[in-house]
Amino acid sequence: MKHTILFFIFTLIAKTLLGIVIPLSSDEAYYWVWAHHLQLSFFDHPPMVSWLFFLGTPFENFLSGPRIPGIIMGHITLFIWFKIISPFLEPPKQKWLLWALLLTPLTGIGSLIITPDLPLLFFWSVALFFFLHLMAKKNSSSAFLLGTALCLGFCSKYHIVLFFPLAFLWLFNRRREIILPLRAYSITALAFFIFGFPVFYWNYMNDFISFKFQLNHGLG
C-alpha cells in the first residue's frame, strides 16, 4: 500500500508539472473562455469541463495552471481503475497494473489535455465502481452514489447514457444470480435527475438546443 501511495503522489506531481508547461490546446482555450462566462450548460457540451477550468482560475498566472484541477481528476481516475481491477490480481502484478494504467493514453499523457472526455472517463469509472458495489451489497447508499456519478458524467458529456443499456444488458445476463430491489432503481434514477437538474433546466430554457445538436452531430 505504501508503494502504491508513493507512486500515486510522485506521478501526480510529474503530470502536474508537465501540464503546467505544455501550452493549452485550441479546444482547452475554448473551454477556458467558458470558465469566465459560466452557465448551467452550453450549446455543444454540458458544463463540467468549464467548471474544472473555473476551479483552475486561481492558477492562471502559472502558464497552463488552469489545467491543474482537471489533471488531478484525471489522475484520480487511474486510482479508481486500480481499485476496481487490483482485487483480481496478486500483489506483484498490481505494481505492473499501476504502470500500465499510467502509460495508457486515457489515464496517462492523455489526461493532461482537459476536454469533456476527461470528466466523462472519471465519472464513468466512479459509476462502474459503485455499480459493482451495488451488485455486491444491494444497499441504498451505493444506488444513490451510482446515480450521482452517472448524473455528473451526464454533466460532463452526454455519452454517459451508454452506461445504462450496458448495465441493463449485464444485469439481464446475470439475472439468475443478481436481483436488485426496486428501490435501488428508484434511488439511482432520483439521484440522476436531481444532480442533472442544471443541464436539464438549461436545455428546457433553450429549446433543448444542446441535446438536438449532439443528436444531429452523432447520428446525422
Side-chain angles (χ1 to χ4, degrees), residues 5-21:
I5 294 173
L6 290 175
F7 179 91
F8 182 81
I9 294 174
F10 175 77
T11 50
L12 174 59
I13 293 172
K15 288 169 70 175
T16 301
L17 293 175
L18 280 173
I20 290 174
V21 299

Side-chain angles (χ1 to χ4, degrees), residues 9-105:
I9 294 174
F10 175 77
T11 50
L12 174 59
I13 293 172
K15 288 169 70 175
T16 301
L17 293 175
L18 280 173
I20 290 174
V21 299
I22 297 174
L24 294 179
S25 66
S26 56
D27 281 356
E28 288 177 294
Y30 177 53
Y31 303 133
W32 173 80
V33 172
W34 284 8
H36 288 268
H37 301 83
L38 288 178
Q39 298 187 52
L40 295 179
S41 191
F42 295 89
F43 169 68
D44 48 344
H45 282 296
M48 185 61 69
V49 68
S50 70
W51 297 347
L52 283 175
F53 274 107
F54 176 77
L55 292 176
T57 52
F59 308 106
E60 288 184 342
N61 293 326
F62 300 95
L63 300 176
S64 298
R67 275 194 181 122
I68 291 175
I71 291 174
I72 294 172
M73 174 179 279
H75 198 64
I76 295 174
T77 304
L78 181 154
F79 181 71
I80 296 169
W81 283 22
F82 179 79
K83 291 291 288 184
I84 292 174
I85 301 172
S86 60
F88 304 99
L89 298 176
E90 299 172 356
K93 294 181 179 179
Q94 292 178 7
K95 297 179 182 179
W96 289 108
L97 172 63
L98 280 171
W99 281 105
L101 291 175
L102 182 66
L103 297 175
T104 58

Side-chain angles (χ1 to χ4, degrees), residues 4 10 21 38 45 64-65 105 112 115 126 146 150 152 170 173 181 204 209 220:
T4 301
F10 175 77
V21 299
L38 288 178
H45 282 296
S64 298
L112 300 181
T115 67
V126 173
L146 170 61
L150 287 170
L152 294 175
W170 189 85
N173 186 55
Y204 172 75
I209 191 170

